[in-house]
Amino acid sequence: MKKYIFFFCLAVILQSCVYYPIKKDYGVYSKSLVFSKDKKWLINNIKTGVESYHREMMNKEVMHLFQELSNGNAYDFRTAKAENIIQNSISFEPEMEDLEILKDNSDFNFLVNIYTMKVRSSLDHSMGELDDYKKNETFAMMDVYDIKAMKKIYSLKASSEFSLEKGEKATVFTPTSEMMTMKNFRSLLKSIKRML
């Protein structure tokens, strides 16, 4: 088991040595969020296809960051539901009615939705010289809704891609879609941290 963990950590370090840019897109929304002591944040379950240990890591990192920024006024979906603060699940693209239900039945000010997607993962299991062009492409997205105003106020998409042409070699340095997804996700959090 220790040997597996060592090689996994080594692969993560080696993959991070390969450079590929992360593109950020705020769309039409503001590039900043305002945190104040009396505002409450609801962090929805993260919608992602990464392995369970990465999902748990994501949940912990998001909660830690929002707890810090909101002076302890951030709640994850599970806690809010367990404490009967909210009753139903929340869509990742909430309609006006969803926000109205949250507004009328809770004292949350903001809803945070985070989701990730592996758009392409054709390089994930490739090693050696390629017979064909292959590409990994992923993104992570964070949307923030003002529940009282019932509208989206912040949106940030972090995306990246890495490809190799026919005849090029895929090695242990080739980034997997899982690692790229995590890097995109952490890029979202870094953008929020800069608001401190």
Side-chain angles (χ1 to χ4, degrees), residues 71-120:
N71 287 330
N73 277 328
Y75 295 78
D76 64 11
F77 178 80
R78 281 180 271 184
T79 304
K81 193 154 187 175
E83 294 178 4
N84 290 320
I85 298 171
I86 57 171
Q87 304 300 317
N88 303 317
S89 59
I90 303 163
S91 168
F92 279 89
E93 292 184 30
E95 301 287 335
M96 195 69 76
E97 305 149 20
D98 301 316
L99 295 174
E100 194 166 5
I101 289 168
L102 276 175
K103 179 182 176 182
D104 293 344
N105 298 299
S106 76
D107 61 348
F108 288 109
N109 300 94
F110 301 102
L111 168 66
V112 179
N113 278 342
I114 298 173
Y115 49 99
T116 72
M117 181 176 282
K118 297 176 185 179
V119 180
R120 289 187 196 173

Short mmCIF file of all heavy atoms in Angstrom, two decimals, residues 71-120:
data_model
loop_
_atom_site.label_atom_id
_atom_site.label_comp_id
_atom_site.label_asym_id
_atom_site.label_seq_id
_atom_site.Cartn_x
_atom_site.Cartn_y
_atom_site.Cartn_z
N ASN A 71 -16.27 34.28 7.94
CA ASN A 71 -16.21 34.24 9.41
C ASN A 71 -17.12 33.17 10.00
O ASN A 71 -17.85 33.40 10.96
CB ASN A 71 -16.56 35.61 10.02
CG ASN A 71 -15.44 36.61 9.83
OD1 ASN A 71 -14.28 36.25 9.77
ND2 ASN A 71 -15.79 37.87 9.69
N GLY A 72 -17.08 31.98 9.40
CA GLY A 72 -17.84 30.85 9.93
C GLY A 72 -19.29 30.80 9.52
O GLY A 72 -20.06 29.99 10.06
N ASN A 73 -19.70 31.60 8.55
CA ASN A 73 -21.10 31.62 8.10
C ASN A 73 -21.34 30.84 6.82
O ASN A 73 -22.20 31.20 6.02
CB ASN A 73 -21.58 33.07 7.92
CG ASN A 73 -22.02 33.68 9.22
OD1 ASN A 73 -22.52 32.99 10.10
ND2 ASN A 73 -21.83 34.98 9.36
N ALA A 74 -20.57 29.77 6.61
CA ALA A 74 -20.77 28.92 5.43
C ALA A 74 -21.24 27.55 5.89
O ALA A 74 -20.75 27.01 6.88
CB ALA A 74 -19.46 28.80 4.64
N TYR A 75 -22.22 27.00 5.17
CA TYR A 75 -22.79 25.70 5.49
C TYR A 75 -22.77 24.84 4.24
O TYR A 75 -23.09 25.32 3.16
CB TYR A 75 -24.24 25.84 5.96
CG TYR A 75 -24.38 26.59 7.26
CD1 TYR A 75 -24.30 27.97 7.28
CD2 TYR A 75 -24.59 25.92 8.45
CE1 TYR A 75 -24.42 28.68 8.47
CE2 TYR A 75 -24.72 26.61 9.65
CZ TYR A 75 -24.63 27.99 9.64
OH TYR A 75 -24.73 28.67 10.82
N ASP A 76 -22.42 23.57 4.39
CA ASP A 76 -22.53 22.70 3.24
C ASP A 76 -23.96 22.16 3.18
O ASP A 76 -24.72 22.24 4.14
CB ASP A 76 -21.48 21.58 3.24
CG ASP A 76 -21.62 20.61 4.39
OD1 ASP A 76 -22.63 20.64 5.11
OD2 ASP A 76 -20.70 19.81 4.58
N PHE A 77 -24.31 21.62 2.03
CA PHE A 77 -25.68 21.15 1.79
C PHE A 77 -26.09 20.08 2.80
O PHE A 77 -27.19 20.10 3.34
CB PHE A 77 -25.81 20.63 0.36
CG PHE A 77 -27.17 20.08 0.05
CD1 PHE A 77 -28.21 20.92 -0.26
CD2 PHE A 77 -27.40 18.72 0.09
CE1 PHE A 77 -29.48 20.42 -0.54
CE2 PHE A 77 -28.65 18.20 -0.19
CZ PHE A 77 -29.69 19.06 -0.50
N ARG A 78 -25.17 19.12 3.06
CA ARG A 78 -25.49 18.02 3.98
C ARG A 78 -25.83 18.53 5.37
O ARG A 78 -26.79 18.08 5.99
CB ARG A 78 -24.32 17.04 4.06
CG ARG A 78 -24.26 16.09 2.88
CD ARG A 78 -23.09 15.17 3.02
NE ARG A 78 -21.94 15.81 2.39
CZ ARG A 78 -20.76 15.25 2.27
NH1 ARG A 78 -20.53 14.05 2.73
NH2 ARG A 78 -19.78 15.87 1.67
N THR A 79 -25.04 19.48 5.87
CA THR A 79 -25.29 20.03 7.20
C THR A 79 -26.61 20.78 7.24
O THR A 79 -27.41 20.62 8.17
CB THR A 79 -24.13 20.97 7.62
OG1 THR A 79 -22.90 20.25 7.56
CG2 THR A 79 -24.34 21.51 9.02
N ALA A 80 -26.84 21.60 6.22
CA ALA A 80 -28.09 22.39 6.16
C ALA A 80 -29.30 21.48 6.12
O ALA A 80 -30.32 21.74 6.77
CB ALA A 80 -28.07 23.32 4.96
N LYS A 81 -29.21 20.38 5.38
CA LYS A 81 -30.33 19.44 5.28
C LYS A 81 -30.51 18.67 6.60
O LYS A 81 -31.63 18.49 7.07
CB LYS A 81 -30.13 18.48 4.12
CG LYS A 81 -31.38 17.71 3.78
CD LYS A 81 -31.40 17.27 2.36
CE LYS A 81 -32.76 16.66 2.08
NZ LYS A 81 -32.97 16.29 0.73
N ALA A 82 -29.39 18.25 7.20
CA ALA A 82 -29.46 17.49 8.45
C ALA A 82 -30.05 18.33 9.58
O ALA A 82 -30.74 17.81 10.46
CB ALA A 82 -28.06 17.00 8.84
N GLU A 83 -29.78 19.63 9.55
CA GLU A 83 -30.30 20.53 10.58
C GLU A 83 -31.67 21.11 10.21
O GLU A 83 -32.15 22.04 10.84
CB GLU A 83 -29.30 21.66 10.84
CG GLU A 83 -28.01 21.16 11.45
CD GLU A 83 -26.98 22.27 11.67
OE1 GLU A 83 -27.29 23.45 11.42
OE2 GLU A 83 -25.86 21.94 12.09
N ASN A 84 -32.28 20.56 9.14
CA ASN A 84 -33.60 21.00 8.66
C ASN A 84 -33.66 22.48 8.29
O ASN A 84 -34.71 23.11 8.36
CB ASN A 84 -34.70 20.67 9.68
CG ASN A 84 -34.95 19.19 9.77
OD1 ASN A 84 -34.94 18.50 8.76
ND2 ASN A 84 -35.15 18.70 10.97
N ILE A 85 -32.50 23.04 7.89
CA ILE A 85 -32.49 24.43 7.43
C ILE A 85 -33.07 24.50 6.03
O ILE A 85 -33.76 25.44 5.67
CB ILE A 85 -31.05 25.00 7.47
CG1 ILE A 85 -30.52 24.98 8.92
CG2 ILE A 85 -31.01 26.41 6.91
CD1 ILE A 85 -29.05 25.32 9.03
N ILE A 86 -32.77 23.47 5.22
CA ILE A 86 -33.39 23.35 3.89
C ILE A 86 -33.98 21.95 3.78
O ILE A 86 -33.55 21.02 4.44
CB ILE A 86 -32.37 23.61 2.76
CG1 ILE A 86 -31.18 22.65 2.86
CG2 ILE A 86 -31.92 25.04 2.72
CD1 ILE A 86 -30.27 22.70 1.68
N GLN A 87 -34.97 21.80 2.92
CA GLN A 87 -35.70 20.54 2.81
C GLN A 87 -35.35 19.75 1.54
O GLN A 87 -35.29 18.53 1.56
CB GLN A 87 -37.21 20.80 2.81
CG GLN A 87 -37.70 21.58 4.03
CD GLN A 87 -37.41 20.86 5.34
OE1 GLN A 87 -37.61 19.66 5.44
NE2 GLN A 87 -36.90 21.59 6.32
N ASN A 88 -35.16 20.45 0.43
CA ASN A 88 -35.01 19.77 -0.86
C ASN A 88 -33.61 19.93 -1.44
O ASN A 88 -32.87 20.82 -1.05
CB ASN A 88 -36.02 20.34 -1.87
CG ASN A 88 -37.43 20.19 -1.36
OD1 ASN A 88 -37.80 19.15 -0.83
ND2 ASN A 88 -38.24 21.24 -1.51
N SER A 89 -33.30 19.09 -2.42
CA SER A 89 -32.04 19.26 -3.13
C SER A 89 -32.12 20.52 -3.99
O SER A 89 -33.20 21.02 -4.28
CB SER A 89 -31.74 18.03 -3.99
OG SER A 89 -32.78 17.84 -4.92
N ILE A 90 -30.96 21.01 -4.39
CA ILE A 90 -30.90 22.27 -5.14
C ILE A 90 -30.26 22.00 -6.50
O ILE A 90 -29.19 21.38 -6.60
CB ILE A 90 -30.05 23.30 -4.38
CG1 ILE A 90 -30.64 23.54 -2.98
CG2 ILE A 90 -29.97 24.61 -5.14
CD1 ILE A 90 -29.69 24.19 -2.03
N SER A 91 -30.91 22.47 -7.53
CA SER A 91 -30.43 22.27 -8.90
C SER A 91 -29.12 23.03 -9.13
O SER A 91 -28.86 24.06 -8.50
CB SER A 91 -31.49 22.80 -9.87
OG SER A 91 -30.97 22.87 -11.17
N PHE A 92 -28.30 22.53 -10.07
CA PHE A 92 -27.07 23.23 -10.41
C PHE A 92 -27.32 24.39 -11.36
O PHE A 92 -26.44 25.20 -11.58
CB PHE A 92 -26.03 22.26 -10.97
CG PHE A 92 -25.33 21.52 -9.88
CD1 PHE A 92 -25.84 20.33 -9.40
CD2 PHE A 92 -24.21 22.04 -9.30
CE1 PHE A 92 -25.22 19.66 -8.37
CE2 PHE A 92 -23.58 21.39 -8.26
CZ PHE A 92 -24.08 20.20 -7.79
N GLU A 93 -28.50 24.44 -11.91
CA GLU A 93 -28.93 25.60 -12.69
C GLU A 93 -30.30 26.01 -12.16
O GLU A 93 -31.33 25.76 -12.79
CB GLU A 93 -28.98 25.26 -14.18
CG GLU A 93 -27.61 25.01 -14.77
CD GLU A 93 -27.64 24.77 -16.26
OE1 GLU A 93 -28.53 25.32 -16.95
OE2 GLU A 93 -26.76 24.03 -16.73
N PRO A 94 -30.32 26.61 -10.95
CA PRO A 94 -31.60 26.88 -10.30
C PRO A 94 -32.47 27.86 -11.07
O PRO A 94 -31.98 28.84 -11.63
CB PRO A 94 -31.19 27.45 -8.93
CG PRO A 94 -29.81 27.93 -9.10
CD PRO A 94 -29.19 27.10 -10.17
N GLU A 95 -33.75 27.54 -11.10
CA GLU A 95 -34.74 28.43 -11.69
C GLU A 95 -35.12 29.48 -10.65
O GLU A 95 -34.77 29.37 -9.48
CB GLU A 95 -36.00 27.62 -12.09
CG GLU A 95 -35.74 26.50 -13.07
CD GLU A 95 -35.46 26.99 -14.47
OE1 GLU A 95 -35.90 28.11 -14.81
OE2 GLU A 95 -34.79 26.26 -15.22
N MET A 96 -35.87 30.46 -11.07
CA MET A 96 -36.33 31.52 -10.16
C MET A 96 -37.12 30.92 -8.99
O MET A 96 -36.96 31.35 -7.85
CB MET A 96 -37.22 32.50 -10.94
CG MET A 96 -37.45 33.81 -10.23
SD MET A 96 -35.98 34.83 -10.12
CE MET A 96 -35.86 35.47 -11.75
N GLU A 97 -37.92 29.89 -9.27
CA GLU A 97 -38.73 29.25 -8.21
C GLU A 97 -37.84 28.62 -7.15
O GLU A 97 -38.15 28.68 -5.95
CB GLU A 97 -39.62 28.15 -8.81
CG GLU A 97 -40.52 28.60 -9.92
CD GLU A 97 -40.77 27.49 -10.94
OE1 GLU A 97 -40.59 26.31 -10.63
OE2 GLU A 97 -41.17 27.84 -12.06
N ASP A 98 -36.72 27.99 -7.58
CA ASP A 98 -35.80 27.36 -6.63
C ASP A 98 -35.20 28.41 -5.69
O ASP A 98 -35.11 28.18 -4.48
CB ASP A 98 -34.66 26.65 -7.37
CG ASP A 98 -35.16 25.56 -8.31
OD1 ASP A 98 -36.05 24.79 -7.90
OD2 ASP A 98 -34.67 25.50 -9.45
N LEU A 99 -34.80 29.53 -6.26
CA LEU A 99 -34.22 30.60 -5.44
C LEU A 99 -35.28 31.22 -4.53
O LEU A 99 -35.00 31.58 -3.38
CB LEU A 99 -33.60 31.68 -6.33
CG LEU A 99 -32.39 31.23 -7.16
CD1 LEU A 99 -31.95 32.32 -8.11
CD2 LEU A 99 -31.24 30.80 -6.27
N GLU A 100 -36.52 31.28 -5.04
CA GLU A 100 -37.60 31.83 -4.22
C GLU A 100 -37.89 30.93 -3.01
O GLU A 100 -38.11 31.43 -1.90
CB GLU A 100 -38.87 32.00 -5.07
CG GLU A 100 -39.91 32.86 -4.40
CD GLU A 100 -40.99 33.31 -5.39
OE1 GLU A 100 -40.98 32.87 -6.56
OE2 GLU A 100 -41.85 34.09 -4.95
N ILE A 101 -37.85 29.62 -3.21
CA ILE A 101 -38.06 28.68 -2.10
C ILE A 101 -36.96 28.87 -1.05
O ILE A 101 -37.23 28.91 0.15
CB ILE A 101 -38.10 27.23 -2.62
CG1 ILE A 101 -39.39 26.99 -3.40
CG2 ILE A 101 -37.98 26.23 -1.47
CD1 ILE A 101 -39.43 25.70 -4.20
N LEU A 102 -35.71 28.99 -1.51
CA LEU A 102 -34.60 29.22 -0.57
C LEU A 102 -34.78 30.56 0.16
O LEU A 102 -34.54 30.66 1.36
CB LEU A 102 -33.26 29.24 -1.32
CG LEU A 102 -32.60 27.91 -1.58
CD1 LEU A 102 -31.35 28.10 -2.44
CD2 LEU A 102 -32.23 27.19 -0.30
N LYS A 103 -35.20 31.57 -0.57
CA LYS A 103 -35.40 32.90 0.02
C LYS A 103 -36.48 32.87 1.09
O LYS A 103 -36.31 33.44 2.18
CB LYS A 103 -35.77 33.89 -1.08
CG LYS A 103 -36.02 35.30 -0.59
CD LYS A 103 -36.44 36.21 -1.74
CE LYS A 103 -36.78 37.59 -1.23
NZ LYS A 103 -37.24 38.47 -2.32
N ASP A 104 -37.59 32.19 0.80
CA ASP A 104 -38.73 32.17 1.73
C ASP A 104 -38.55 31.22 2.91
O ASP A 104 -39.17 31.41 3.96
CB ASP A 104 -40.02 31.78 0.97
CG ASP A 104 -40.43 32.84 -0.05
OD1 ASP A 104 -39.94 33.98 0.04
OD2 ASP A 104 -41.24 32.51 -0.94
N ASN A 105 -37.71 30.18 2.73
CA ASN A 105 -37.62 29.13 3.75
C ASN A 105 -36.27 29.01 4.44
O ASN A 105 -36.04 28.05 5.19
CB ASN A 105 -37.98 27.78 3.13
CG ASN A 105 -39.41 27.78 2.62
OD1 ASN A 105 -40.34 27.97 3.39
ND2 ASN A 105 -39.58 27.61 1.32
N SER A 106 -35.36 29.93 4.18
CA SER A 106 -34.06 29.89 4.86
C SER A 106 -33.54 31.31 5.02
O SER A 106 -34.08 32.25 4.44
CB SER A 106 -33.05 29.06 4.05
OG SER A 106 -32.57 29.79 2.94
N ASP A 107 -32.49 31.45 5.79
CA ASP A 107 -31.89 32.78 5.96
C ASP A 107 -30.54 32.88 5.25
O ASP A 107 -29.72 33.73 5.58
CB ASP A 107 -31.76 33.14 7.44
CG ASP A 107 -30.86 32.19 8.20
OD1 ASP A 107 -30.52 31.12 7.65
OD2 ASP A 107 -30.50 32.51 9.35
N PHE A 108 -30.33 32.01 4.26
CA PHE A 108 -29.10 32.09 3.48
C PHE A 108 -29.15 33.30 2.55
O PHE A 108 -30.20 33.64 2.00
CB PHE A 108 -28.88 30.82 2.65
CG PHE A 108 -28.49 29.63 3.48
CD1 PHE A 108 -29.37 28.59 3.69
CD2 PHE A 108 -27.24 29.58 4.07
CE1 PHE A 108 -29.02 27.50 4.46
CE2 PHE A 108 -26.87 28.50 4.85
CZ PHE A 108 -27.76 27.46 5.05
N ASN A 109 -27.98 33.91 2.35
CA ASN A 109 -27.87 35.05 1.43
C ASN A 109 -27.35 34.63 0.06
O ASN A 109 -27.72 35.22 -0.95
CB ASN A 109 -26.94 36.12 2.01
CG ASN A 109 -27.45 36.64 3.34
OD1 ASN A 109 -27.05 36.16 4.38
ND2 ASN A 109 -28.36 37.59 3.29
N PHE A 110 -26.45 33.62 0.06
CA PHE A 110 -25.81 33.23 -1.20
C PHE A 110 -25.79 31.71 -1.35
O PHE A 110 -25.64 30.98 -0.37
CB PHE A 110 -24.37 33.76 -1.26
CG PHE A 110 -24.28 35.25 -1.15
CD1 PHE A 110 -23.90 35.84 0.04
CD2 PHE A 110 -24.58 36.07 -2.23
CE1 PHE A 110 -23.82 37.22 0.16
CE2 PHE A 110 -24.52 37.44 -2.12
CZ PHE A 110 -24.13 38.02 -0.92
N LEU A 111 -25.91 31.27 -2.59
CA LEU A 111 -25.81 29.86 -2.96
C LEU A 111 -24.59 29.69 -3.86
O LEU A 111 -24.43 30.44 -4.83
CB LEU A 111 -27.07 29.41 -3.71
CG LEU A 111 -27.01 28.06 -4.42
CD1 LEU A 111 -26.87 26.92 -3.41
CD2 LEU A 111 -28.25 27.85 -5.30
N VAL A 112 -23.73 28.71 -3.55
CA VAL A 112 -22.53 28.44 -4.34
C VAL A 112 -22.68 27.06 -4.99
O VAL A 112 -22.86 26.06 -4.30
CB VAL A 112 -21.26 28.46 -3.46
CG1 VAL A 112 -20.03 28.15 -4.31
CG2 VAL A 112 -21.12 29.80 -2.76
N ASN A 113 -22.63 27.04 -6.31
CA ASN A 113 -22.67 25.79 -7.08
C ASN A 113 -21.32 25.59 -7.76
O ASN A 113 -20.84 26.50 -8.46
CB ASN A 113 -23.76 25.83 -8.15
CG ASN A 113 -25.13 25.50 -7.60
OD1 ASN A 113 -25.25 24.93 -6.53
ND2 ASN A 113 -26.15 25.85 -8.34
N ILE A 114 -20.73 24.41 -7.57
CA ILE A 114 -19.46 24.08 -8.24
C ILE A 114 -19.63 22.77 -8.97
O ILE A 114 -20.17 21.82 -8.41
CB ILE A 114 -18.31 23.96 -7.21
CG1 ILE A 114 -18.09 25.30 -6.50
CG2 ILE A 114 -17.02 23.51 -7.90
CD1 ILE A 114 -17.11 25.25 -5.37
N TYR A 115 -19.18 22.73 -10.21
CA TYR A 115 -19.22 21.47 -10.94
C TYR A 115 -18.02 21.38 -11.87
O TYR A 115 -17.42 22.39 -12.25
CB TYR A 115 -20.53 21.28 -11.71
CG TYR A 115 -20.99 22.43 -12.55
CD1 TYR A 115 -20.77 22.45 -13.93
CD2 TYR A 115 -21.67 23.50 -11.98
CE1 TYR A 115 -21.21 23.50 -14.70
CE2 TYR A 115 -22.11 24.56 -12.76
CZ TYR A 115 -21.87 24.56 -14.12
OH TYR A 115 -22.31 25.61 -14.88
N THR A 116 -17.64 20.16 -12.18
CA THR A 116 -16.50 19.92 -13.05
C THR A 116 -16.91 18.94 -14.14
O THR A 116 -17.87 18.19 -13.99
CB THR A 116 -15.30 19.32 -12.28
OG1 THR A 116 -15.59 17.96 -11.94
CG2 THR A 116 -14.97 20.12 -11.05
N MET A 117 -16.15 18.97 -15.23
CA MET A 117 -16.43 18.03 -16.30
C MET A 117 -15.15 17.65 -17.02
O MET A 117 -14.30 18.50 -17.28
CB MET A 117 -17.42 18.61 -17.31
CG MET A 117 -17.76 17.63 -18.43
SD MET A 117 -19.00 18.27 -19.57
CE MET A 117 -20.46 18.01 -18.60
N LYS A 118 -15.03 16.35 -17.31
CA LYS A 118 -13.96 15.87 -18.18
C LYS A 118 -14.55 15.83 -19.59
O LYS A 118 -15.33 14.94 -19.91
CB LYS A 118 -13.50 14.49 -17.74
CG LYS A 118 -12.90 14.46 -16.35
CD LYS A 118 -12.55 13.04 -15.94
CE LYS A 118 -12.07 12.98 -14.52
NZ LYS A 118 -11.75 11.62 -14.08
N VAL A 119 -14.21 16.80 -20.40
CA VAL A 119 -14.78 16.89 -21.75
C VAL A 119 -14.21 15.79 -22.64
O VAL A 119 -14.94 15.11 -23.35
CB VAL A 119 -14.50 18.29 -22.36
CG1 VAL A 119 -15.09 18.40 -23.76
CG2 VAL A 119 -15.05 19.38 -21.46
N ARG A 120 -12.89 15.61 -22.56
CA ARG A 120 -12.22 14.53 -23.30
C ARG A 120 -11.14 13.93 -22.41
O ARG A 120 -10.46 14.64 -21.69
CB ARG A 120 -11.53 15.07 -24.56
CG ARG A 120 -12.47 15.49 -25.64
CD ARG A 120 -11.69 15.83 -26.87
NE ARG A 120 -12.53 16.58 -27.79
CZ ARG A 120 -12.10 17.13 -28.90
NH1 ARG A 120 -10.83 17.02 -29.25
NH2 ARG A 120 -12.91 17.78 -29.69
#
